[in-house]
Amino acid sequence: IIRSVLSGQKTLVQALAGSGKTSTLVQIAKQMQKHQPEKRGLYLVFNKKNQIEGQTRMPSNFKVLTMDGLSYNSIDKAYRSKLTRQKKTGAMTRPGDIAHLFKVTGRDGTDGEDLSREDVVRQALQAIRNWTTSSDVDFSEANFENLELPFDETTKDLMDRMWEDIKNPAGDLRLDFNHMMKIWALTNPDFANTPYAQTDGRVDVIFVDEGQDLNPVFSDMLRKQGVQIVAVGDSRQAIYGFRGAVDELSKLEADVELPLTQSWRFGPEIGGFGNRFLSLLRSPLKVIGGGKKGTIMDAGSMEDPDAILTRSNGGALAAIIDEQEKGRIVGVDANFQREMNEFLDSVNALRFGN
């Protein structure tokens, strides 16, 4: 993998769980700094936690940025001011209020059922959201998948007016990160000449971690940069579908595709069990357990576990309560703790009307 990147090839790495995706990118960057010190790169990640980790590990020839942060800090500050204002004072979100503002009326849906004016508003906003994560320049029928609102001149006129309000710093409708990324994408940005990236007008290579979670709008911007792309990820670990991600990893143009399959999180026993699921997913890759020996246990048979993994926040809360009832002290990730505190504050506000 390192040889491929140092030779200048656009490289796609399909990396399985625990195989050292980030460590591999760090080693590539260090080798590049040693053998090609004139080159400068961007390392793009999905969240602040990964950015902070990357900043402590990546050598000085790479700038580590989140994708949202890159777009947020690159668009006109008036949009950032609108986002800040709406966090303090709120935005217009009730479908009835929006329908009144834009003079929306009910109409027939594509399935023959009546759509109320609130339904029209909800589906028009969803179509706009679908468009913001796409690589499309204009609204189209493709933005209406699983929606009953017909795409015609009436709908397009409504969406145009809504989008103008979203973009308007003094507008009433909510502006979010998807909107801001689309606004930036439509300017056909050059990452190298983005002041926030601090690359002094030069980017020779872009590293993308968790490439399976790219959405089409950002993937399209990457393609237009005209520089070497190194994307690392696992198509079977996509978690950002709610942001419009559709496994763009496999669609990225690459000179070479390479596997990274040896995992250091577990040994061959757990690796073999995991391969059953990879087979069900029809993965062409199989994981090699290179870590400590593990034991497969029957569901519910483990007593006093050191760590519990859950699929949802609700499952995590249930597990926490169960362990606390056993008299055990439970620790959680700092981000999860903050999210749960905010959730409980919202619950209390609803209960007590404040």
Side-chain angles (χ1 to χ4, degrees):
I1 293 172
I2 293 175
R3 284 196 299 269
S4 170
V5 177
L6 293 184
S7 69
Q9 295 187 90
K10 292 183 179 180
T11 306
L12 172 62
V13 180
Q14 288 281 0
L16 299 184
S19 58
K21 296 187 290 291
T22 303
S23 296
T24 299
L25 291 176
V26 170
Q27 288 303 314
I28 295 172
K30 288 180 176 179
Q31 289 297 311
M32 188 171 286
Q33 185 181 48
K34 179 179 179 180
H35 299 288
Q36 300 169 346
E38 74 285 356
K39 288 193 173 182
R40 296 292 179 266
L42 286 179
Y43 175 34
L44 300 178
V45 297
F46 271 87
N47 56 53
K48 191 67 176 180
K49 179 181 178 182
N50 289 345
Q51 181 187 16
I52 293 171
E53 178 188 0
Q55 288 171 334
T56 63
R57 299 180 63 185
M58 276 286 179
S60 60
N61 55 330
F62 273 78
K63 295 293 182 182
V64 185
L65 305 171
T66 66
M67 298 176 197
D68 278 341
L70 181 59
S71 60
Y72 174 83
N73 288 283
S74 299
I75 63 174
D76 192 289
K77 64 180 181 181
Y79 296 117
R80 302 198 294 273
S81 297
K82 180 177 182 178
L83 191 68
T84 301
R85 170 175 61 82
Q86 290 184 339
K87 285 182 178 180
K88 294 179 180 179
T89 62
M92 183 180 293
T93 58
R94 293 180 178 177
D97 294 338
I98 298 173
H100 178 75
L101 176 66
F102 290 94
K103 297 180 172 57
V104 177
T105 59
R107 57 178 306 184
D108 292 335
T110 56
D111 59 358
E113 297 294 325
D114 291 338
L115 294 175
S116 68
R117 64 176 195 159
E118 289 82 6
D119 291 332
V120 171
V121 165
R122 292 188 191 96
Q123 295 199 23
L125 288 173
Q126 182 59 54
I128 291 174
R129 184 176 182 82
N130 295 342
W131 171 73
T132 61
T133 61
S134 76
S135 59
D136 300 337
V137 174
D138 301 309
F139 301 130
S140 71
E141 188 76 40
N143 309 136
F144 286 78
E145 185 176 358
N146 298 321
L147 298 178
E148 288 77 44
L149 181 64
F151 180 60
D152 54 22
E153 287 301 317
T154 300
T155 298
K156 186 178 184 303
D157 174 70
L158 173 61
M159 293 171 66
D160 285 338
R161 289 185 288 127
M162 285 179 163
W163 180 239
E164 288 302 315
D165 186 280
I166 290 170
K167 292 191 300 177
N168 185 349
D172 296 296
L173 298 185
R174 183 188 300 278
L175 174 73
D176 63 25
F177 283 104
N178 278 345
H179 298 140
M180 287 191 292
M181 184 171 288
K182 189 66 171 185
I183 291 168
W184 188 49
L186 290 173
T187 68
N188 292 315
D190 178 357
F191 292 3
N193 290 309
T194 299
Y196 177 70
Q198 298 180 347
T199 59
D200 298 323
R202 180 173 181 177
V203 173
D204 300 293
V205 59
I206 298 175
F207 288 180
V208 181
D209 202 358
E210 306 296 353
Q212 74 280 353
D213 285 318
L214 287 172
N215 58 29
V217 65
F218 203 92
S219 181
D220 186 59
M221 282 193 285
L222 279 177
R223 292 188 188 97
K224 293 177 180 177
Q225 297 310 303
V227 301
Q228 183 184 11
I229 304 294
V230 179
V232 179
D234 180 0
S235 298
R236 287 147 293 280
Q237 293 191 63
I239 61 173
Y240 280 82
F242 68 95
R243 289 291 305 273
V246 290
D247 185 21
E248 286 290 306
L249 183 67
S250 59
K251 300 178 183 178
L252 287 175
E253 297 175 0
D255 299 315
V256 60
E257 181 174 340
L258 299 169
L260 193 62
T261 58
Q262 186 159 7
S263 177
W264 307 104
R265 292 179 185 168
F266 43 75
E269 299 81 10
I270 295 177
F273 192 80
N275 282 329
R276 299 182 186 180
F277 296 94
L278 289 176
S279 295
L280 290 173
L281 292 171
R282 298 182 179 179
S283 169
L285 304 178
K286 296 293 181 285
V287 66
I288 302 170
K292 294 181 180 179
K293 181 179 180 180
T295 303
I296 305 295
M297 304 187 67
D298 293 332
S301 65
M302 183 181 292
E303 296 182 0
D304 298 331
D306 294 318
I308 299 175
L309 300 179
T310 64
R311 293 180 60 87
S312 65
N313 288 343
L317 287 173
I320 290 169
I321 293 171
D322 185 52
E323 293 301 309
Q324 288 179 334
E325 288 178 346
K326 297 176 183 176
R328 304 185 75 197
I329 297 175
V330 180
V332 297
D333 176 86
N335 290 330
F336 176 76
Q337 184 178 33
R338 184 181 66 254
E339 290 174 1
M340 288 300 99
N341 285 335
E342 291 175 353
F343 172 72
L344 291 173
D345 287 343
S346 298
V347 171
N348 286 327
L350 288 172
R351 287 183 63 193
F352 301 110
N354 55 27

